[in-house]
Amino acid sequence: MAFKVEITPIAEGQIEKAYNWYRKVNEAFADQWFKGLMNKIATLQEMPQRCALAIENDIFSEDVRQLLYGKNKNIYQVLFTIREHTVYILYIRHSAQNPLTKNDLDNLI
């Protein structure tokens, strides 16, 4: 069964912020990074349950899973939840960032 994937406005903003930062450094890499991220997110259309629960899972009221994208020191954590037949991308975080806390969530909403 194929799942629908929706990116929340918060996650869209986080993607845009990272993309714009990469564009300042290397425009070609920024485009490659963005395309790769979108392709990786698209894989959640099939078997999103294959992804492990995120370390931040305990601060949410529902299961939150993570999909990792990137390599070496440039890894991003895609936090998402599954509701019925839809995968909701909640947050995109660089691996250098600390795990989300309840306070972070309150400030993001």
Side-chain angles (χ1 to χ4, degrees):
M1 166 191 22
F3 286 78
K4 180 179 178 185
V5 177
E6 290 190 19
I7 302 175
T8 65
I10 290 174
E12 283 179 0
Q14 293 167 331
I15 292 168
E16 184 176 349
K17 183 178 178 181
Y19 175 76
N20 288 334
W21 187 88
Y22 284 128
R23 271 186 68 87
K24 291 177 186 174
V25 177
N26 183 331
E27 189 172 325
F29 177 77
D31 293 340
Q32 177 186 347
W33 175 85
F34 179 78
K35 183 178 178 182
L37 177 64
M38 293 298 104
N39 287 338
K40 187 75 168 188
I41 287 172
T43 69
L44 294 172
Q45 293 174 354
E46 299 294 327
M47 297 187 333
Q49 303 92 336
R50 74 185 187 277
C51 298
L53 292 174
I55 194 169
E56 296 92 342
N57 183 60
D58 291 343
I59 65 172
F60 291 92
S61 61
E62 58 191 318
D63 284 348
V64 172
R65 297 178 177 277
Q66 69 177 3
L67 174 71
L68 299 178
Y69 168 66
K71 56 185 175 181
N72 300 327
K73 295 180 181 179
N74 195 29
I75 297 174
Y76 280 80
Q77 177 190 37
V78 178
L79 295 174
F80 68 93
T81 193
I82 305 166
R83 297 181 195 137
E84 296 184 19
H85 303 294
T86 304
V87 173
Y88 293 92
I89 307 301
L90 304 172
Y91 303 98
I92 309 291
R93 304 192 36 90
H94 192 277
S95 60
Q97 293 177 280
N98 290 326
L100 282 173
T101 66
K102 182 72 173 136
N103 288 339
D104 293 330
L105 290 181
D106 293 341
N107 293 329
L108 287 170
I109 297 176

